[in-house]
Amino acid sequence: MFLFFQALLVRERILGPTHPDTSYYVRYRGAVYADAGKFTRCISLWNHALDIQRGSLESCHQMTVSSFFSFAELFSFMSDACATNENNGYRQVPALLTFEDIIQVLIKAVNELCEPKVLPSSLDLSPRLLLISLDLFNMALKLIRNDEHSHLTHRLLYRLNKCKVVGHLGQTALHLASARKTALATSRHPQSISPEDASMLLRALLKIGADPNARDDEGNTPLHLVSPKDMTTIKLLLGGGAHYDVVNMAGRTFCDMRKATPHNPLCHTSLACHAARAIRKNRIPFEGNIPVTLYEFVEKH
């Protein structure tokens, strides 16, 4: 171990402390500590490597995003409290994961997304990092223990929402959370978002003002992407102001796509919605006859 650190110091002196190759070997040493169950030391080294990468590479560089993903995998592994050991079956892993561990990485992830450098990466991996960030938010929300934790988490989520970072097909964080998409689904320890976790993240996003009627590149709102059996998410979105009668670019509403109707449509629609649908259905010319600010509202229906 001592000889390895000596070699690491020599390499750092030759390449420089901010060289990307230096961060690679720091990450490798952190992984060795993780395999040995020394997670605190691993997290410290990986944070150092991440700082090197963020300071020397362009925004959302492949190496930087890979580091964030490694953190998400590690935190997910730690939060499970047990892991598979090829030789000994199952061994207990101390529940060492803390809110502070996650939040320091989450702050860096949000900064990476919201403070792009002058020269962006030729390969835009911000959609990937957005997914990873949502996984980290899921974990952080479960570890909130006081008002300070809650305030910090929601403030970060608010900042991410205000930056208007989008994922694949222009999907917002609320789209991704509603569809329960997760970066960890492709990890070495695949995980899906449980209904409870999805509910926590959705509530937090709606609380900080995420638009439940935002549309992606295909015209879908978050409601369009929800499974018809996921009544918890449907109720949360409708309760948060989602319009179930918004049409996408294919001319289909949530009800058309999922062959479902809210239990009481009158509770989730308004006179304005009915009027907009009547205008669209009967192809009544509206441009020049209503305020310009209402054009988008009518076109959504």
Side-chain angles (χ1 to χ4, degrees):
M1 187 76 72
F2 175 76
L3 291 177
F4 180 88
F5 275 108
Q6 287 291 91
L8 191 60
L9 287 172
V10 171
R11 182 176 285 107
E12 185 172 327
R13 287 171 184 167
I14 295 173
L15 298 176
T18 60
H19 195 283
D21 285 352
T22 302
S23 70
Y24 171 81
Y25 290 102
V26 174
R27 278 188 65 192
Y28 174 78
R29 174 46 52 185
V32 173
Y33 275 118
D35 289 340
K38 299 179 180 179
F39 300 118
T40 301
R41 186 59 178 155
C42 169
I43 292 171
S44 176
L45 285 173
W46 279 4
N47 267 301
H48 177 54
L50 186 57
D51 290 338
I52 293 174
Q53 292 166 343
R54 294 192 62 238
S56 59
L57 300 172
E58 58 264 29
S59 296
C60 296
H61 188 276
Q62 186 173 0
M63 287 180 64
T64 310
V65 174
S66 175
S67 291
F68 280 116
F69 183 64
S70 294
F71 267 117
E73 282 192 309
L74 176 66
F75 292 155
S76 176
F77 177 84
M78 292 171 66
S79 65
D80 282 344
C82 68
T84 302
N85 184 295
E86 293 181 359
N87 298 320
N88 303 319
Y90 285 93
R91 63 183 174 87
Q92 288 300 115
V93 177
L96 299 175
L97 185 61
T98 66
F99 176 83
E100 287 72 22
D101 289 332
I102 296 178
I103 206 66
Q104 64 176 329
V105 178
L106 196 46
I107 289 172
K108 294 173 184 177
V110 173
N111 286 340
E112 187 74 9
L113 287 166
C114 295
E115 298 175 0
K117 302 179 182 70
V118 177
L119 294 176
S121 173
S122 55
L123 177 62
D124 184 15
L125 292 177
S126 58
R128 172 74 168 166
L129 183 53
L130 176 59
L131 267 179
I132 295 169
S133 299
L134 293 180
D135 285 332
L136 293 173
F137 271 114
N138 262 319
M139 298 180 210
L141 287 167
K142 290 189 289 185
L143 291 175
I144 288 176
R145 296 292 180 266
N146 53 52
D147 290 342
E148 183 180 352
H149 288 176
S150 178
H151 175 72
L152 180 54
T153 306
H154 285 84
R155 188 176 66 185
L156 277 175
L157 200 55
Y158 174 80
R159 185 179 178 215
L160 182 66
N161 182 63
K162 290 291 287 184
C163 290
K164 300 187 183 301
V165 181
V166 294
H168 181 60
L169 293 176
Q171 294 176 347
T172 66
L174 194 59
H175 280 93
L176 298 172
S178 300
R180 297 193 193 177
K181 293 185 178 179
T182 169
L184 290 173
T186 60
S187 73
R188 288 169 292 179
H189 306 285
Q191 287 194 353
S192 58
I193 300 177
S194 68
E196 294 77 15
D197 293 348
S199 175
M200 290 179 67
L201 183 57
L202 276 169
R203 290 178 192 277
L205 283 165
L206 291 170
K207 182 178 180 179
I208 56 90
D211 184 5
N213 294 302
R215 299 203 285 179
D216 63 17
D217 294 344
E218 295 180 340
N220 293 317
T221 67
L223 199 56
H224 281 96
L225 306 181
V226 181
S227 166
K229 297 181 180 180
D230 190 356
M231 292 307 301
T232 300
T233 299
I234 292 172
K235 289 178 180 178
L236 280 173
L237 289 172
L238 290 173
H243 293 251
Y244 76 88
D245 54 354
V246 172
V247 295
N248 60 16
M249 289 185 176
R252 305 180 71 189
T253 66
F254 159 74
C255 299
D256 296 331
M257 294 179 67
R258 306 303 180 190
K259 296 181 180 179
T261 303
H263 294 304
N264 187 353
L266 292 178
C267 293
H268 306 291
T269 190
S270 64
L271 183 59
C273 289
H274 285 297
R277 286 159 59 188
I279 290 172
R280 297 285 285 178
K281 182 178 180 180
N282 296 289
R283 299 182 180 180
I284 300 173
F286 61 88
E287 294 185 6
N289 296 317
I290 62 174
V292 176
T293 53
L294 293 178
Y295 286 5
E296 183 181 358
F297 179 80
V298 173
E299 289 168 353
K300 283 183 178 180
H301 295 75

